[in-house]
Amino acid sequence: MATITLPEAEVQENKTANKQSSTKYVYSFGGGKADGNGKMKDVLGGKGAGLAEMTNAGLPVPPGFTIQTEACREYMRTGGTSKEVDRQMDEALAKLEALQGQKLGTGENPLLVSVRSGAKFSMPGMMDTILNLGLNDKSVEALAKRSNNPRFAADSYRRLIQMFGNVVLEIEKPAFDEVFDAKKKQRKTKLDTDLTAKDLQEVIVEYKKVVKKHTKRDFPQDPREQLVLARDAVFRSWQNDRAKHYRRMNNIDDMLGTAVNVQAMVFGNLGDTSGSGVGFTRNPAIGTKEFYGEFLMNAQGEDVVSGVRTPVPILELQKILPEAYDQLREITTRLETHYKDVQDFEFTVQDGKLYMLQTRNGKRTGLAAVRIAIQMVDEGLITKEEAIFRVEPNQLYDFLVPRLDEKSTKVEVLATGLPASPGAAVGQIVFTADEAVKMAGHDTTKKPVILVRAETTPEDIHGMEVAKGILTSRGGMTSHAAVVTRGMGKCCVAGAGDIDVNEKSREMRVKGQTFKEGDWISLDGTTGRVIKGKLNTLDPSPDDPELQKFMQWADPYRKMKVRANADIPRDAVQARAFGAEGIGLCRTEHMFFGEEKIPHMRAMILANNEKDRRAALKKLLPMQRADFAGVFKAMDGLPVTIRTLDPPLHEFLPRREDLMVEIATLPHADAKEKKALVERYSDYGAKGVGDLKKLLPTLLARVEQLHEFNPMLGHRGCRLGITYPEITEMQARAIFEAAVDCTKKGIKVLPEVMIPLVATVKEMANQAAIVRRVADEVFKEKGTKVEYMVGTMIELPRAALVADEIAKEAEFFSFGTNDLTQTTFGFSRDDVNKVLPTYLAEGILKQDPFAALDQEGVGQLVKMATERGRKTRPTLKVGICGEHGGEPSSVEFCYRTGLNYVSCSPFRVLTARLAAAQAAAAETLKVEGGRTK
Ligand code: PEP
Ligand code: MG
C-alpha cells in the first residue's frame, strides 16, 4: 500500500533573464519524483499540477511528462511549436522510456501513452484527449503477444485510429461509427465486447480506409510523428468552439492556454482483473458522506464517462477486487484530508494493480456544497470561516429550485433514471441542441423545453444551456450530462435505460408509448423520475436547516444590506422570506398592468387635457394606494423604495405600424385611395394595385427585420412626471395615504420615494417639490406624519458626473445600472443581442455588461457618483437596484465601493447575501483560494 506524504513544495519560478532559451517547457513526473508540484497550476494546468503532486506523494501514478501552458500560448501566437519544445519533449520522452524500460510504439514491449489537455481551471470534456498513442501495424502485434490478448490489442488500435482520426485529423465521428455499426450488424450483435479480435482487425482495415479517403494520406505509423501531431491538436483544441463557449460561461481567461499531459498508458481492459472508474469522496449531488462513484470491469476510462455502457456502483468493487478497493479508499481518504475538500478522482486497475490517474476538487451542487461545508467543519477539517467560501453564491439557487406538485395531477411515471442533478423541470421535448435553442430562444424566454438525448456530448452545450432540464437514456452519475447540469444548477435525469431515444426520427419510446417533439414531460432530478405530461411545480422553501446554519455563519461578516426588487405584495413577502432587508426598487408601472387598471391608464394617456387626465388618475389613485399598503405591510419595519412612473407611455398602448394598416385597408380602399397608395410606393417600383399586393408585405417583412427599438431614450422617467406633474402628484398621494393608513394600523412604514432617470439637479428639485408638497397636504388632511425620504436613481452618465449637485436635493442614491450600462456603452437594452454574441465570441467584451457590472467603465461612474454625492451629503445612503445587484462579482464591487445596500430580484437575495458576506469576510479574514492565511 502506498505511503502518502504530501509535501508542500515551493513553486519553482524560472527567474533566468534570457527567457527564450531557458524556458522550461517540459516537466517530467514518475518514479516517486516530479519536476513540478501541486502549486504550479498556472504552468502545468490543474491536471499536470495534480499529477506532479500525487507523484511526489508516492501515489501509484503512471509516469509521464507535462508540456506547459506557455507552449500553448506560443502555439496560439505563432501557429506552431518551437524547436526548443520539441527538444525538451524528446528529452522527457527518453527519460520516460528509460524509466519504463520500453520504447514508444517500438519493440516487443512497446510504450503507449495518453495525450491529454489540462488547463488551469477544469473544463471537463471541452478539449481533446488521445489514448493508446504509439500503436501502429507492428506494435499492435507486439501488444497482442505481450498481453496474450489479441482482441485487446486490436481494440486499442482501432480506438486510437478513431480518436486520432477525429481529434487530430478532424474526420467526423460518424465516418468511423458507420464502419463499427456495420460490423456489429454483420455479426448480429449489440455489444462492442461481442466483437472478436478478427472482427476488430477487419474494422481496423476499414478505419484506415476512412483515414485515407478523408485525408489523402495513410494513418501515421511513426510513433513520434503521432505524438507531435497529437500534442499540437490538443493545443488547437483550446480554441475549439465548445471550449471557447465554456470559458465564456465560466469567465475563464482565453489567454491562459492548456498544458498537454503525456502519460504512460495503463489498461483497464486487460480482462477480468482490470477495470476503470471515477468517483467522489462524498456524494456530489446531495452531499451525503459516502464513497461515491462507478466503474466498469474490462473497460477503459472513456467507457465509464461516455455512457456507452452503464457503469456499476463503486461499492461493488469491494467484492470483485477487495485489495484494490481498500487501497483506493485509503488513498482517496488521505487525498481528501490533504486537500481539505471533496476529491473527484479517476483510477484504473491493470491486472489487479491500482493506478491513480487524476484527483481534483470535485464539482458539486449547491445543496451538496452547503452540506459538505458543514460536515467538514463538524469533522474539524476546515474552519467555519473557510466554510463560508466553499459555496459559490450562485449555487444557493439550488435551494430555491422548484419541486413537482404531485397532488394536483395524476402522476404517471414513464421511467426512472439516475437523479443526476436535483430540482424539477417541466417542458416540451426536443431531441437536438439546435432545436432546443430554436424553441426556447437564446434566453429561454420562448418555450420551456426538455432536451432528450441518448447521451449528451460537449457539442450539446448550447442546447443544455437553454433547456429547463435534460433527460438521457444512457450514462451514469458522472456522465457528461450529469456533470454539466450540476454545474449549471439544472435538473437532469440520466441513464433512464427503459427509454429508447431515436434522435433521427425525433421520437422516444417508453412503456409502449411514443413521444414526439413538442410533447410535454416532467422530470424530477432529485429522484430520477420521468413523468408523463405537464405537472405543476412547487416553489421550494428556503428554510432548509442546513442552509440556515450556513447562512448564520456567513451573514455576520456582511456589512452591506441586501434588499429586493419587488413590485407587488406577493413578491415582497417572498423576498422577505429569503432574508431581504427592505425593498430597493418597486417599479410602480408594473402595478398598472392589472386588468382593472389598464383601461384607466389608457384613458389617462389618451386624455388630451389636464382635466380629463386628472379624472382618469383619480380612478387609479385608490388602486395604487391599496398596492402600496400591501407592500408596506409585507415590509413592516423595513424601508421600501418606490419609484415614480418610468416607462414611456406608448408601452401601455397597442403598437400600430403604418404598413400594417395599409395592408389591412388596401382591399377595401376606393379608387382614389388606391391611386394615392400606388403613387406613394412608386419609388419602390409599384405601377399598379397588383404590384402593391406583393410589395407591401415584402416591405413590411424587411422593415420588421431592420427595425430597431430604442424608446429607452425617450419620453420616460422623470421626464413624464415633469411634463405631466399630475401623474407624480397622484402617485405621491397614493404612497402617503397608504403610508399614513398603515401607520395608523401599527405597521412601521419607511417610504423612500425615488425619482427615475434624472440627469440634472433641477429635474430632481422639480419632482422632489411635488412629492414633498403632496406629503404635507396628506399629513395635514389625515392629521398624521410619516418619516420619509426623497431620492433618485443614478442611471445616466450626466447624473454621475454632477452627483454632488444632485445630492443637494436627493436624500439617497440608487444606481440603476441597467440604464447606466445602456447609456454608458450606448448599447440599447432591447437589441444589444444583435451584437453581443459576436462581441463575446471575438473577445471584445469578456462578459455581458448587462449581467455582470462593467467595473472598468460603468463602475467608475458608480464610484465617482458615490464619492461626489457623499461630499455634499456625508450620510447619503447609496444602493444599487439594477440587475447587477444580484450578481456576485458586481456585489463584491459594490462592497468595495462603499455602497450601503444591493437590491435584486427575490430569488437572488440569498446569492447576494452570501456574495456580500464573502466580500467582507475575505477582507477581514485575509482569505486566499478559499483558505484563511
Ligand atoms: C435600472 O435602470 O437599472 C433600473 C433598475 O431600472 P429599470 O430596469 O426599470 O429601467
Ligand atoms: Mg432604469
Side-chain angles (χ1 to χ4, degrees):
M1 197 163 290
T3 338
I4 309 168
T5 46
L6 289 146
E8 293 282 344
E10 285 308 307
V11 178
Q12 289 178 8
E13 275 181 41
N14 194 331
K15 289 189 176 136
T16 325
N18 185 352
K19 209 165 175 260
Q20 195 55 41
S21 62
S22 61
T23 302
K24 183 168 173 59
Y25 287 106
V26 184
Y27 290 74
S28 291
F29 55 88
K33 213 176 140 308
D35 294 348
N37 63 59
K39 291 186 174 176
M40 298 175 71
K41 285 191 181 167
D42 283 327
V43 178
L44 302 179
K47 192 176 286 171
L51 287 168
E53 182 147 341
M54 288 199 295
T55 304
N56 284 331
L59 294 193
V61 177
F65 53 88
T66 303
I67 307 171
Q68 71 134 307
T69 52
E70 176 58 20
C72 179
R73 289 189 292 272
E74 277 176 20
Y75 192 93
M76 284 194 277
R77 284 197 297 271
T78 64
T81 318
S82 70
K83 287 218 166 71
E84 182 57 17
V85 174
D86 281 345
R87 193 191 63 73
Q88 292 188 27
M89 185 183 85
D90 288 337
E91 216 174 78
L93 179 61
K95 198 167 155 188
L96 173 63
E97 288 174 336
L99 192 68
Q100 292 290 90
Q102 293 173 298
K103 280 236 170 292
L104 183 66
T106 324
E108 287 178 5
N109 182 11
L111 170 68
L112 303 180
V113 293
S114 62
V115 180
R116 296 170 200 260
S117 60
K120 178 177 179 184
F121 302 104
S122 153
M123 295 168 54
M126 297 299 137
M127 291 181 291
D128 291 327
T129 288
I130 294 129
L131 304 175
N132 303 324
L133 191 134
L135 280 177
N136 55 23
D137 292 352
K138 271 202 183 132
S139 58
V140 70
E141 280 171 23
L143 183 66
K145 230 185 243 161
R146 205 194 132 244
S147 63
N148 198 20
N149 189 342
R151 189 195 175 280
F152 150 66
D155 192 38
S156 303
Y157 192 25
R158 73 97 193 158
R159 282 168 192 266
L160 171 67
I161 304 175
Q162 188 173 338
M163 266 192 214
F164 195 94
N166 178 242
V167 171
V168 182
L169 306 173
E170 295 174 9
I171 303 167
E172 300 273 327
K173 276 188 191 134
F176 295 106
D177 290 346
E178 269 168 31
V179 172
F180 203 67
D181 290 344
K183 182 55 70 186
K184 282 202 280 190
K185 210 166 171 192
Q186 187 195 1
R187 292 283 171 262
K188 296 194 177 54
T189 170
K190 272 196 174 156
L191 295 176
D192 298 4
T193 42
D194 288 344
L195 291 182
T196 63
K198 190 166 162 288
D199 296 334
L200 292 166
Q201 276 147 9
E202 286 163 14
V203 168
I204 289 167
V205 172
E206 293 300 315
Y207 272 9
K208 284 206 260 176
K209 284 188 194 155
V210 171
V211 170
K212 182 93 188 209
K213 182 174 157 217
H214 284 80
T215 64
K216 313 276 175 275
R217 56 161 293 182
D218 289 322
F219 176 76
Q221 292 291 316
D222 174 8
R224 188 182 174 282
E225 188 193 356
Q226 288 180 359
L227 180 59
V228 168
L229 290 173
R231 173 196 68 193
D232 292 352
V234 173
F235 284 151
R236 280 198 302 280
S237 72
W238 173 258
Q239 297 285 56
N240 74 29
D241 287 346
R242 53 179 205 269
K244 282 192 201 163
H245 188 90
Y246 187 89
R247 289 201 290 276
R248 227 177 301 135
M249 268 169 56
N250 293 282
N251 200 15
I252 297 172
D253 189 345
D254 278 331
M255 296 317 293
L256 291 176
T258 180
V260 174
N261 297 292
V262 178
Q263 198 176 12
M265 284 292 298
V266 285
F267 293 98
N269 56 348
L270 276 190
D272 292 343
T273 51
S274 302
S276 295
V278 292
F280 288 82
T281 48
R282 305 188 191 216
N283 184 317
I286 51 169
T288 40
K289 191 174 180 187
E290 57 179 318
F291 195 52
Y292 183 87
E294 36 205 20
F295 76 100
L296 278 172
M297 292 309 285
N298 198 11
Q300 284 188 275
E302 55 153 348
D303 299 332
V304 184
V305 285
S306 74
V308 172
R309 279 164 63 191
T310 299
V312 185
I314 204 162
L315 297 178
E316 298 283 312
L317 186 64
Q318 194 168 17
K319 290 183 212 142
I320 305 169
L321 292 172
E323 247 178 61
Y325 176 85
D326 289 346
Q327 194 188 358
L328 182 67
R329 287 234 44 177
E330 204 258 348
I331 288 173
T332 53
T333 308
R334 282 176 184 234
L335 282 169
E336 191 188 82
T337 313
H338 172 71
Y339 287 109
K340 296 180 192 286
D341 206 348
V342 176
Q343 294 302 297
D344 162 0
F345 54 86
E346 286 178 24
F347 66 94
T348 284
V349 183
Q350 177 175 305
D351 286 332
K353 181 168 165 29
L354 174 74
Y355 289 95
M356 296 303 294
L357 302 187
Q358 174 166 309
T359 186
R360 60 187 169 188
N361 291 346
K363 289 200 187 307
R364 64 211 82 165
T365 62
L367 226 66
V370 167
R371 300 218 164 117
I372 291 170
I374 291 175
Q375 279 164 21
M376 289 193 164
V377 171
D378 291 347
E379 291 163 22
L381 212 53
I382 57 174
T383 63
K384 274 184 196 168
E385 289 73 21
E386 285 167 339
I388 297 171
F389 295 90
R390 288 300 171 87
V391 181
E392 290 283 333
N394 275 329
Q395 287 188 307
L396 293 183
Y397 217 83
D398 280 9
F399 284 91
L400 316 176
V401 290
R403 286 167 295 139
L404 291 175
D405 175 6
E406 302 188 28
K407 288 204 188 98
S408 55
T409 336
K410 200 178 147 275
V411 173
E412 183 184 343
V413 177
L414 294 171
T416 302
L418 299 168
S421 185
V426 178
Q428 290 174 276
I429 298 173
V430 288
F431 292 97
T432 66
D434 288 345
E435 193 57 35
V437 173
K438 213 161 125 199
M439 265 172 77
H442 282 283
D443 44 9
T444 74
T445 45
K446 284 195 199 158
K447 286 182 182 166
V449 300
I450 306 284
L451 180 59
V452 180
R453 308 277 292 160
E455 60 195 288
T456 64
T457 70
E459 271 125 55
D460 294 324
I461 192 103
H462 57 300
M464 297 173 78
E465 212 179 335
V466 299
K468 291 276 174 224
I470 314 289
L471 167 63
T472 67
S473 57
R474 291 204 293 249
M477 290 296 278
T478 43
S479 63
H480 177 263
V483 170
V484 172
T485 47
R486 275 203 293 272
M488 289 176 167
K490 186 163 290 196
C491 164
C492 174
V493 175
D498 291 345
I499 300 181
D500 181 13
V501 178
N502 190 333
E503 286 148 4
K504 255 196 187 150
S505 62
R506 302 198 171 192
E507 54 184 34
M508 69 174 211
R509 277 160 196 253
V510 59
K511 271 186 151 181
Q513 303 175 48
T514 304
F515 295 82
K516 294 197 180 313
E517 204 155 77
D519 287 345
W520 286 86
I521 52 167
S522 306
L523 301 182
D524 180 352
T526 315
T527 62
R529 288 171 311 154
V530 182
I531 295 162
K532 185 176 175 176
K534 186 179 174 185
L535 260 66
N536 289 330
T537 48
L538 284 175
D539 291 341
S541 80
D543 32 58
D544 179 289
E546 288 188 290
L547 173 65
Q548 300 302 330
K549 186 171 180 179
F550 176 77
M551 290 308 290
Q552 273 163 20
W553 291 347
D555 251 344
Y557 286 96
R558 183 160 59 84
K559 296 183 187 140
M560 208 164 45
K561 297 264 184 213
V562 174
R563 298 192 189 184
N565 295 352
D567 313 316
I568 52 172
R570 191 193 63 215
D571 288 354
V573 170
Q574 172 79 87
R576 195 164 191 169
F578 291 157
E581 294 158 304
I583 300 287
L585 175 63
C586 171
R587 291 176 164 104
T588 54
E589 57 270 20
H590 292 176
M591 295 172 161
F592 290 124
F593 277 110
E595 235 174 275
E596 73 286 18
K597 291 169 207 156
I598 195 84
H600 303 300
M601 187 64 186
R602 291 198 172 126
M604 191 276 283
I605 297 164
L606 293 172
N608 46 21
N609 58 59
E610 192 182 321
K611 189 167 154 268
D612 291 351
R613 198 155 40 238
R614 281 191 183 278
L617 283 166
K618 208 168 167 188
K619 299 250 173 59
L620 285 170
L621 176 73
M623 301 177 196
Q624 278 248 281
R625 188 173 50 217
D627 284 337
F628 291 141
V631 174
F632 288 145
K633 195 167 155 226
M635 284 288 142
D636 188 1
L638 296 173
V640 176
T641 306
I642 298 170
R643 179 176 73 183
T644 52
L645 191 63
D646 187 354
L649 297 179
H650 81 261
E651 281 191 9
F652 294 90
L653 298 177
R655 283 194 298 125
R656 302 228 169 194
E657 300 278 349
D658 288 351
L659 268 169
M660 287 178 183
V661 177
E662 280 161 357
I663 290 167
T665 52
L666 187 62
H668 320 288
D670 60 28
K672 213 171 132 198
E673 288 165 334
K674 281 179 181 161
K675 199 168 159 228
L677 275 175
V678 172
E679 248 167 49
R680 189 179 308 162
Y681 289 100
S682 61
D683 279 353
Y684 295 94
K687 292 194 180 71
V689 177
D691 295 333
L692 278 184
K693 280 187 192 152
K694 265 196 190 159
L695 176 67
L696 292 186
T698 316
L699 268 179
L700 177 61
R702 183 70 182 138
V703 165
E704 276 181 342
Q705 206 178 19
L706 296 175
H707 185 61
E708 290 218 351
F709 186 63
N710 283 308
M712 286 294 177
L713 302 175
H715 192 187
R716 58 170 289 215
C718 67
R719 300 159 198 172
L720 279 173
I722 291 170
T723 48
Y724 301 125
E726 49 281 9
I727 298 179
T728 308
E729 268 176 30
M730 182 282 282
Q731 292 201 289
R733 178 162 284 277
I735 292 169
F736 293 115
E737 287 183 357
V740 170
D741 292 350
C742 285
T743 306
K744 284 183 178 166
K745 287 185 191 146
I747 296 166
K748 192 163 164 32
V749 181
L750 298 164
E752 299 172 348
V753 184
M754 182 157 80
I755 311 299
L757 219 72
V758 160
T760 77
V761 67
K762 290 213 167 140
E763 288 172 327
M764 181 62 211
N766 172 300
Q767 292 293 285
I770 297 176
V771 173
R772 293 198 176 105
R773 172 173 54 78
V774 174
D776 285 345
E777 284 168 16
V778 173
F779 297 159
K780 213 182 252 166
E781 285 160 25
K782 300 228 168 204
T784 304
K785 268 192 175 183
V786 173
E787 288 295 317
Y788 71 95
M789 285 206 279
V790 189
T792 186
M793 295 185 79
I794 303 287
E795 45 187 349
L796 294 174
R798 192 183 192 284
L801 293 167
V802 300
D804 46 349
E805 280 295 307
I806 291 176
K808 286 180 187 159
E809 287 290 337
E811 292 170 283
F812 65 87
F813 284 176
S814 176
F815 287 100
T817 41
N818 303 335
D819 276 314
L820 193 58
T821 301
Q822 162 172 265
T823 49
T824 303
F825 274 95
F827 280 145
S828 161
R829 286 163 69 168
D830 293 323
D831 47 28
V832 67
N833 270 339
K834 286 184 185 165
V835 295
L836 201 56
T838 313
Y839 271 45
L840 294 173
E842 293 292 321
I844 292 170
L845 286 177
K846 252 177 75 183
Q847 277 171 296
D848 175 353
F850 289 96
L853 189 74
D854 159 47
Q855 298 184 13
E856 281 170 23
V858 179
Q860 277 199 52
L861 290 172
V862 172
K863 196 161 174 273
M864 180 202 299
T866 306
E867 283 163 12
R868 292 189 179 179
R870 284 190 178 145
K871 221 179 227 167
T872 305
R873 198 187 279 268
T875 56
L876 187 78
K877 183 152 56 156
V878 183
I880 179 176
C881 63
E883 282 311 300
H884 308 90
E887 191 281 323
S889 70
S890 315
V891 171
E892 199 253 349
F893 172 84
C894 292
Y895 172 72
R896 273 191 280 119
T897 311
L899 265 55
N900 301 92
Y901 70 86
V902 295
S903 187
C904 55
S905 62
F907 277 85
R908 293 174 91 184
V909 164
L910 270 175
T911 294
R913 278 169 62 196
L914 181 56
Q918 286 182 345
E923 206 177 53
T924 322
L925 302 170
K926 297 197 170 34
V927 169
E928 198 177 48
R931 293 198 191 175
T932 39
K933 278 193 222 164

